[in-house]
Amino acid sequence: MKRKKYISLVFGVWSFSLLSVIGCENVISPLTDDSDKVFAIHGFLDMAADTQFVRVSALRSAILAEQPGLENVVVQSVDQNTLEVVVWSDLVIELDDGTEGILFFGLFTPMSERTYELQVLKDGNLVATGKTTLPESPPYFAGTPSGDTLQFSQIIVVEGITGRPFEVGIRYEVSRPSEDLPETVFIEYQQDGSNTLGGWQFEVFLKRDQFSVLQQIDWPLFGPPLELRRVSAFVSLKSEEWANASNPDNFENAHGFFGSVGRFELPWILTPDDVGKLGYVDRQGPL
């Protein structure tokens, strides 16, 4: 194994904060009598990133035994749909307790509905695997906006899920008068929403968001109206492995957690009248 760089845990915090939600620890502690062939894997694939990360450790045979090294270990991923193989590089990271850990990274962006197998090879032999399937883009629909020019909102329903997605936000693309280059404003939504028949719904506060858009692009409240180009919801959905994180069944000769997160844009079109109520000029294009 060729080590590329040495970095601190600040860089490696990529997923440990997220994994803490499911109770994974920074210290990988399970023991095994066959430490040459069983590994601990912690990480997830992210559709929003072009670089993927996992932490890999060999398991100790006894509590007082030294942590086995990862000499002659190669980590790679295989897209089970295309059989494309990506060989991952490694980084040495410093953990909170001052000890070292190994972080592997792969340069690719996973795709929705595809299954990826993470493979650990030692001395050229396949010794451990983990699999995850990226969530599919959910069906959705946008309700009819309602309210007045002070409180104008609409309901978005994400079908086929129960409970709030992992992340929710709204993105507005606007342009200044007589300028063709759009500017993007992303507003993170924190409200819980609610379950509804066949899915989960949340309210988009269109008029309230307009004030955030004006503020973020530094446009005067009573200035000429901005042009609305596009409005979209963005939702992040966890793969099935997150629901079974305490007792995973997607490993062979490995322990830990390996899952994925799907990121999806859900756009819709506002009517010209609704755009006018928001104080924009309608320049929306087709979806």
Side-chain angles (χ1 to χ4, degrees):
M1 180 184 65
K2 183 179 180 181
R3 296 184 176 179
K4 304 294 183 182
K5 297 179 183 177
Y6 187 95
I7 59 172
S8 69
L9 185 58
V10 174
F11 182 86
V13 75
W14 49 276
S15 71
F16 291 122
S17 60
L18 181 55
L19 290 175
S20 66
V21 174
I22 58 173
C24 294
E25 299 179 354
N26 281 357
V27 178
I28 301 176
S29 59
L31 307 178
T32 178
D33 293 330
D34 197 2
S35 58
D36 288 337
K37 296 181 180 180
V38 181
F39 290 80
I41 298 171
H42 286 87
F44 63 95
L45 304 183
D46 188 343
M47 282 180 59
D50 58 9
T51 303
Q52 311 302 315
F53 296 93
V54 295
R55 183 180 164 204
V56 176
S57 295
L59 302 186
R60 293 176 295 170
S61 59
I63 294 177
L64 298 180
E66 292 186 3
Q67 183 72 42
L70 295 179
E71 292 77 14
N72 302 320
V73 168
V74 172
V75 173
Q76 64 184 31
S77 58
V78 180
D79 183 331
Q80 299 290 284
N81 298 77
T82 65
L83 300 183
E84 180 182 1
V85 177
V86 175
V87 178
W88 295 41
S89 301
D90 65 284
L91 295 165
V92 181
I93 63 172
E94 181 180 336
L95 303 177
D96 289 332
D97 60 3
T99 60
E100 292 184 359
I102 305 297
L103 194 67
F104 286 86
F105 65 94
L107 303 178
F108 71 101
T109 300
M111 300 183 66
S112 173
E113 297 184 72
R114 291 192 180 181
T115 298
Y116 295 85
E117 181 175 79
L118 189 76
Q119 300 179 341
V120 180
L121 297 89
K122 186 175 177 62
D123 297 321
N125 298 312
L126 181 62
V127 293
T129 65
K131 284 185 179 182
T132 184
T133 299
L134 274 292
E136 64 178 320
S137 181
Y140 66 99
F141 66 88
T144 301
S146 62
D148 53 31
T149 55
L150 295 178
Q151 293 183 336
F152 195 61
S153 64
Q154 71 184 128
I155 297 297
I156 304 298
V157 177
V158 184
E159 299 180 281
I161 67 172
T162 58
R164 188 182 190 277
F166 172 54
E167 293 175 328
V168 180
I170 305 297
R171 188 176 77 176
Y172 297 88
E173 291 184 16
V174 298
S175 56
R176 301 166 192 263
S178 302
E179 293 188 13
D180 289 331
L181 185 65
E183 300 180 55
T184 299
V185 174
F186 184 82
I187 300 173
E188 186 175 358
Y189 269 46
Q190 300 290 349
Q191 78 269 20
D192 289 336
S194 61
N195 288 324
T196 186
L197 182 63
W200 181 83
Q201 67 178 26
F202 67 103
E203 188 172 7
V204 178
F205 299 99
L206 296 166
K207 187 61 181 180
R208 186 189 70 181
D209 289 351
Q210 186 210 17
F211 296 111
S212 296
V213 170
L214 295 175
Q215 183 180 36
Q216 290 194 40
I217 70 168
D218 194 25
W219 192 255
L221 179 60
F222 297 106
L226 296 173
E227 299 169 344
L228 180 66
R229 299 296 191 91
R230 188 176 178 90
V231 58
S232 307
F234 279 79
V235 299
S236 300
L237 302 179
K238 296 177 180 178
S239 62
E240 294 181 358
E241 292 80 23
W242 295 85
N244 197 33
S246 61
N247 187 30
D249 58 3
N250 61 325
F251 286 118
E252 291 290 340
N253 296 324
H255 301 276
F257 174 80
F258 182 60
S260 54
V261 176
R263 316 278 188 176
F264 304 102
E265 180 187 14
L266 313 179
W268 66 93
I269 297 291
L270 293 170
T271 68
D273 285 343
D274 291 336
V275 173
K277 288 181 181 179
L278 293 173
Y280 295 119
V281 173
D282 187 12
R283 287 196 61 188
Q284 299 171 98
L287 296 181

